[in-house]
Amino acid sequence: MAGRRSLALLAVSLALLQVASAARSWLTEFTTDGTVRTGYDASGQKVMMLNLDRSSGPAGFNSKEQFLYGEFSIEMKLIPGNSAGTVSCFYLSSGTDDWRDEIDMEFMGNSSGQPVVLNTNVWANGDGKKEHQFDLWFDPSADYHTYTIIWNPENILFKVDNVFIRSFKRYADLPYPSSKPMTLHATLWDGSYWATEKGKVPIDWSNAPFVVSYRSFYANACVSGGACHAGRDGWMHRQLDAAEWGTVRWAERNYMRYNYCQDGWRFSQGLPAECSRN
């Protein structure tokens, strides 16, 4: 009996050591802002939870390393119920100046029963407004789903689970993120002024705190000032094949809410040059 108790205590001690080690490992990769909590899901995977309420302000975590090209993915479980006005993000950015590069996946909160809108966008040398928006075809708050950005010298690819939904191509004569190292960010903030129905539906703070959970972060990328990680050939020249272009067309046909290349009112002087080449 004593031997079994000793083995059980040893197992518990090892489990606690693994938990502490995992938490330390996460903190060595990222800095945090606002209210960020760590925990574990039912399968024992590490989870980072971003919390937003009226007094806490925005929350997020940011990679300590900067990257120049790579494949980045994370699993997210979004806010259940009425999340109108909130914005949950997974994105890369070179900074906050007027000449920044940025690659965005932004999830705009919904009124209960309405679809969550995924906004994808690309900024290059301060040139943005390249949004494609999609209604998600599942409930992103019911379980974790995987969101992926592949960024290489030829194109930027956006993927939801195993479905490619967008390719942003590079053209030699047009701006493209190619020279500025970018930091990876995950954030949760109050976007009432624009997020839900173009700002018509603000946050209902009686539903706070709002919580977004992240797990299974993955980066296979070139680190600024260092070498590219092993396996880069899988993404460095990655482009869509015919079947993958088929999933893009499927998403555009069935779930696209907004395409900047169809917004003649916004671009009254003419659509961006890449719109006539895609």
Side-chain angles (χ1 to χ4, degrees):
M1 180 69 72
R4 285 198 294 271
R5 282 199 298 268
S6 297
L7 287 173
L9 288 171
L10 177 60
V12 170
S13 298
L14 288 173
L16 291 173
L17 180 61
Q18 290 171 350
V19 167
S21 175
R24 284 196 298 271
S25 174
W26 183 275
L27 293 175
T28 62
E29 298 176 22
F30 295 93
T31 62
T32 61
D33 300 306
T35 304
V36 181
R37 297 186 173 91
T38 59
Y40 291 83
D41 65 13
S43 68
Q45 291 192 66
K46 182 175 56 179
V47 177
M48 292 284 283
M49 293 165 286
L50 306 186
N51 292 251
L52 175 68
D53 59 36
R54 189 188 293 272
S55 61
S56 68
F61 55 91
N62 322 285
S63 66
K64 293 181 179 179
E65 292 183 321
Q66 290 188 308
F67 307 97
L68 188 62
Y69 301 133
E71 179 175 356
F72 310 88
S73 71
I74 203 161
E75 294 182 15
M76 297 174 60
K77 188 176 182 180
L78 300 185
I79 300 164
N82 182 4
S83 59
T86 66
V87 182
S88 311
C89 300
F90 176 59
Y91 69 103
L92 293 149
S93 180
S94 66
T96 58
D97 58 82
D98 291 340
W99 308 105
R100 72 184 184 278
D101 290 349
E102 191 167 296
I103 304 169
D104 300 323
M105 297 186 83
E106 301 170 310
F107 302 84
M108 299 186 287
N110 66 331
S111 301
S112 297
Q114 298 300 311
V116 170
V117 177
L118 168 57
N119 182 55
T120 65
N121 197 9
V122 176
W123 290 76
N125 201 31
D127 180 15
K129 302 178 181 178
K130 314 289 186 183
E131 300 101 328
H132 281 186
Q133 296 179 358
F134 302 87
D135 291 340
L136 291 178
W137 50 93
F138 52 84
D139 179 358
S141 69
D143 203 351
Y144 287 91
H145 291 266
T146 304
Y147 304 96
T148 302
I149 296 169
I150 297 174
W151 169 37
N152 63 37
E154 297 169 48
N155 54 195
I156 296 166
L157 306 175
F158 297 89
K159 185 166 67 167
V160 177
D161 292 328
N162 293 315
V163 177
F164 283 97
I165 62 171
R166 183 179 183 186
S167 170
F168 182 87
K169 294 183 180 181
R170 182 179 189 173
Y171 296 99
D173 58 331
L174 299 178
Y176 184 84
S178 61
S179 61
K180 298 174 184 175
M182 293 202 269
T183 301
L184 186 88
H185 304 273
T187 57
L188 170 61
W189 49 283
D190 178 0
S192 291
Y193 69 95
W194 75 281
T196 305
E197 297 181 26
K198 299 182 179 179
K200 294 178 182 177
V201 186
I203 284 183
D204 180 355
W205 291 109
S206 68
N207 294 315
F210 302 100
V211 180
V212 176
S213 299
Y214 294 78
R215 72 180 187 188
S216 302
F217 166 70
Y218 169 85
N220 188 333
C222 300
V223 179
S224 177
C228 288
H229 292 176
R232 63 186 179 276
D233 289 345
W235 53 261
M236 182 60 86
H237 301 289
R238 183 73 161 87
Q239 298 188 64
L240 300 184
D241 61 24
E244 290 162 345
W245 272 114
T247 70
V248 170
R249 302 309 178 206
W250 169 83
E252 291 176 345
R253 183 171 59 251
N254 294 289
Y255 297 102
M256 178 171 275
R257 175 180 289 245
Y258 176 83
N259 180 350
Y260 75 104
C261 284
Q262 298 174 355
D263 193 344
W265 181 86
R266 186 182 194 183
F267 299 102
S268 58
Q269 302 303 311
L271 295 172
E274 67 270 14
C275 293
S276 62
R277 306 182 195 181
N278 291 335

